[in-house]
């Protein structure tokens, strides 16, 4: 998952634009402030793990604003590569707060954002100043940040309000997670499941307790990363099983035949094996996933794994749905949207000023967070309530993801899942 794909994209795009002759073979590995961004040889002891404070970290909004005005004297605009259309709602507020600064926000898919960053680094023509990206498996951290395409900016005053665990892989805008949904009309006394192992339960006749709906795990990086985390946290998965059933977990998966070493007696691998052999309905649209739960009954109950934001269908469409929270050993991963400064960008001060603004400013009240303040998203600042959610991030049962550990097993997890799903009795041959 390292540089192969990135370099392929870079070379093909550079050739198309006839820039190959002048394109450097590697990006400049500084962040525009003179800080060395050379990739360390041992990612377990990475020099990039945050928070990393530098001379930018101490600067106030006013100091950055004055520097930014100097940067745009030529009439240039500050460019943000965003992966959410909600970012565009911040443009007017930012420009009103900081007269003289003109903002351009480009809404793209994450792959487009990252590939554009690589292309510009290769050509030497840097147009972007800020990029937004979600990192659920360490790909952005290891393949883009450590490779020298972007830099994490850590404003010291705001970071003091954020759990340091969420600062390890970058500077977060907000956190989100996926949930299992259940039907509240079918289960009026509360959620029927409190443990991940209950989701794969079968009766003595081999019948599933629940109909399961999800996006195809192997094509969804966030979901596959969650399963990879179970492999990383195998001890917790084994304990969750023993606590639930009062006996040790029996291992039934066959890890032979792969071109990599499959860990033996790993409860996360065992869970994925059992889950892959369940009867599931794959639906690509999250709204349709929660609709399937809404249409289920107590006699034929269903669960669906979907983005936390799909809870909005409860009020907008009257669906009888709710999240399963506090699942043992943990509900899910706190997946963060991160903000980065593009290395060697034209407006390094303006980029950092925008990042401060969009994450709430000095007091959390800049207005930048407003477009992202919806159910299924949680603020990461301790001074911002986030009371639009029925539970806090801590109360949901999510954990900080260990992206380095997940990244280490991610590709093997994907290969295991894809093969085991292919031999499921419920997959059409």
């Amino acid at each position: 998952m390292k540089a192969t794909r990135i370099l392929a994209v870079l070379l093909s795009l550079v050739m198309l634009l006839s820039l190959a002759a002048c394109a450097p073979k590697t990006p400049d590995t500084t962040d525009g402030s003179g800080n060395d961004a050379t990739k360390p040889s041992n990612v377990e002891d990475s020099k990039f793990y945050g928070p990393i404070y530098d001379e930018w970290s101490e600067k106030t909004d006013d100091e950055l604003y004055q520097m930014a005005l100097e940067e745009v004297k030529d009439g240039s605009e500050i460019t943000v590569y965003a992966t959410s259309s909600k970012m565009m709602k911040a443009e007017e507020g930012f420009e009103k707060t900081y007269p003289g600064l003109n903002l351009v926000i480009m809404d793209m898919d994450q792959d487009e954002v990252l590939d554009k960053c690589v292309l510009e680094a290769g050509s030497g023509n840097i147009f972007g100043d800020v990029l937004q990206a979600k990192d659920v498996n360490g790909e952005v951290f290891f393949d883009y940040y450590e490779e020298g395409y972007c830099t994490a900016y850590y404003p010291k005053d705001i970071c003091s309000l954020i759990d340091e665990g969420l600062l390890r892989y970058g500077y977060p805008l907000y956190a989100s997670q996926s949930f299992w949904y259940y039907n509240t009309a079918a289960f009026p006394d509360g959620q029927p499941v409190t443990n991940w192992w209950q989701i794969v339960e079968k009766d003595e006749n081999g019948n599933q307790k629940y109909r399961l709906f999800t996006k195809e795990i192997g094509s969804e990086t966030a979901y596959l990363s969650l399963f990879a985390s179970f492999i990383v946290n195998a001890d917790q998965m084994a304990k969750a099983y023993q606590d639930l059933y009062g006996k040790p977990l029996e291992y039934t998966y066959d890890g032979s035949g792969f071109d990599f070493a499959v860990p033996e007696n790993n409860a996360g691998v065992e869970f994925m094996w059992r889950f892959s052999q369940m009867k599931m309905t794959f639906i690509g649209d999250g709204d349709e996933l929660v609709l399937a739960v809404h249409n289920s009954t107590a006699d034929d109950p269903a669960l669906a794994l979907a983005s936390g934001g799909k809870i909005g269908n409860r009020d907008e469409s009257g669906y009888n749905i709710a999240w399963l929270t506090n699942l043992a050993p943990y509900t899910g991963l706190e997946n963060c949207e991160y903000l980065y400064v593009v290395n060697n960008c034209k407006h390094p001060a303006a980029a950092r000023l925008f990042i401060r603004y969009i994450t709430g400013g000095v007091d959390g009240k800049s207005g930048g967070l407003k477009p992202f303040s919806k159910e299924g998203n949680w603020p990461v600042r301790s001074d911002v309530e986030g009371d639009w959610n029925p539970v806090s991030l801590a109360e949901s049962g999510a954990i900080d993801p260990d992206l380095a550990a997940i990244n280490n097993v991610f590709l093997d997890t994907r290969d295991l899942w894809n093969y085991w799903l292919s031999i499921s009795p419920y997959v059409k041959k």
Side-chain angles (χ1 to χ4, degrees):
M1 198 165 64
K2 287 285 183 185
T4 303
R5 182 180 68 83
I6 298 174
L7 291 175
V9 171
L10 172 58
L11 291 174
S12 62
L13 290 174
V14 169
M15 289 176 66
L16 286 173
L17 294 178
S18 301
L19 293 173
C22 61
K25 293 182 180 180
T26 58
D28 189 324
T29 56
T30 63
D31 64 5
S33 65
N35 293 329
D36 183 27
T38 304
K39 185 177 178 182
S41 59
N42 180 6
V43 298
E44 295 303 318
D45 189 27
S46 174
K47 296 177 183 178
F48 291 80
Y49 290 147
I52 300 171
Y53 298 117
D54 57 20
E55 64 268 28
W56 290 104
S57 302
E58 302 278 359
K59 293 190 182 300
T60 65
D61 290 336
D62 187 60
E63 288 174 323
L64 291 172
Y65 180 34
Q66 296 307 316
M67 294 173 69
L69 288 173
E70 290 296 317
E71 292 171 348
V72 300
K73 275 188 172 181
D74 60 356
S76 58
E77 298 171 318
I78 303 142
T79 302
V80 178
Y81 294 154
T83 58
S84 170
S85 60
K86 294 180 178 63
M87 189 72 78
M88 301 179 76
K89 297 179 180 179
E91 181 177 349
E92 183 178 348
F94 177 79
E95 293 178 346
K96 183 177 180 180
T97 302
Y98 298 106
L101 301 183
N102 295 317
L103 197 64
V104 173
I105 296 176
M106 300 181 65
D107 177 24
M108 299 178 283
D109 291 337
Q110 175 148 317
D111 285 345
E112 293 176 314
V113 167
L114 297 172
D115 289 345
K116 195 169 181 64
C117 185
V118 172
L119 169 63
E120 292 181 7
S123 70
N125 297 311
I126 310 296
F127 298 102
D129 296 296
V130 177
L131 67 85
Q132 172 198 358
K134 178 182 286 188
D135 199 0
V136 295
N137 67 345
E139 179 185 16
V140 177
F141 182 86
F142 291 113
D143 293 356
Y144 295 89
Y145 180 14
E146 281 203 349
E147 292 289 346
Y149 296 104
C150 57
T151 293
Y153 159 58
Y154 293 100
K156 202 166 188 178
D157 54 348
I158 300 177
C159 287
S160 68
L161 303 167
I162 301 174
D163 178 357
E164 192 164 297
L166 294 180
L167 298 171
R168 182 172 174 83
Y169 298 100
Y171 179 69
L173 172 58
Y174 65 87
S176 63
Q177 64 173 302
S178 301
F179 287 94
W180 283 101
Y181 287 78
Y182 73 97
N183 186 304
T184 53
F187 299 98
D189 295 330
Q191 66 183 61
V193 170
T194 59
N195 190 304
W196 273 88
W197 292 101
Q198 292 173 294
I199 295 170
V200 295
E201 274 186 355
K202 295 182 179 180
D203 62 23
E204 62 277 6
N205 297 317
N207 298 315
Q208 294 181 200
K209 191 171 183 179
Y210 302 99
R211 287 190 295 130
L212 301 179
F213 295 85
T214 180
K215 295 181 179 181
E216 208 284 273
I217 305 296
S219 62
E220 291 293 317
T221 303
Y223 296 169
L224 202 58
S225 296
L226 177 58
F227 278 58
S229 80
F230 292 152
I231 295 174
V232 170
N233 298 313
D235 290 348
Q236 294 183 47
M237 289 296 287
K239 183 177 184 302
Y241 184 94
Q242 177 133 7
D243 289 348
L244 179 65
Y245 298 111
K247 59 182 180 181
L249 173 64
E250 179 184 356
Y251 295 94
T252 62
Y253 65 88
D254 180 3
S256 63
F258 294 94
D259 60 0
F260 55 88
V262 179
E264 296 181 2
N265 295 340
N266 182 292
V269 175
E270 178 66 26
F271 179 86
M272 189 168 67
W273 158 250
R274 295 190 188 190
F275 189 87
S276 70
Q277 302 306 295
M278 302 289 283
K279 184 176 182 180
M280 292 171 282
T281 301
F282 297 134
I283 301 176
D285 183 84
D287 294 318
E288 293 183 15
L289 284 169
V290 294
L291 177 59
V293 172
H294 171 71
N295 289 333
S296 65
T297 65
D299 294 331
D300 188 20
L303 302 175
L305 181 62
S307 160
K310 296 306 173 183
I311 194 67
N313 284 283
R314 176 196 56 205
D315 300 323
E316 295 171 7
S317 305
Y319 290 1
N320 298 317
I321 56 173
W323 298 327
L324 294 177
T325 60
N326 284 306
L327 297 183
Y330 49 88
T331 306
L333 303 177
E334 297 175 2
N335 294 322
C336 287
E337 293 281 347
Y338 294 100
L339 296 168
Y340 304 90
V341 178
V342 177
N343 282 0
N344 300 308
C345 65
K346 189 174 182 179
H347 310 104
R352 288 166 171 85
L353 181 63
F354 175 76
I355 289 174
R356 286 181 61 87
Y357 172 83
I358 202 67
T359 55
V362 67
D363 58 2
K365 299 177 181 178
S366 70
L369 283 170
K370 187 175 181 180
F372 308 100
S373 301
K374 64 164 207 168
E375 281 187 291
N377 292 346
W378 281 265
V380 294
R381 299 174 54 137
S382 61
D383 61 339
V384 178
E385 286 294 331
D387 52 6
W388 51 84
N389 281 305
V391 295
S392 69
L393 191 59
E395 292 168 338
S396 73
I399 64 168
D400 294 353
D402 184 345
L403 296 186
I406 290 172
N407 186 268
N408 191 47
V409 302
F410 182 82
L411 295 180
D412 292 351
T413 303
R414 185 182 64 189
D415 289 347
L416 284 170
W417 170 265
N418 287 338
Y419 175 69
W420 282 342
L421 181 66
S422 74
I423 62 173
S424 165
Y426 301 108
V427 171
K428 292 181 180 179
K429 303 298 191 284

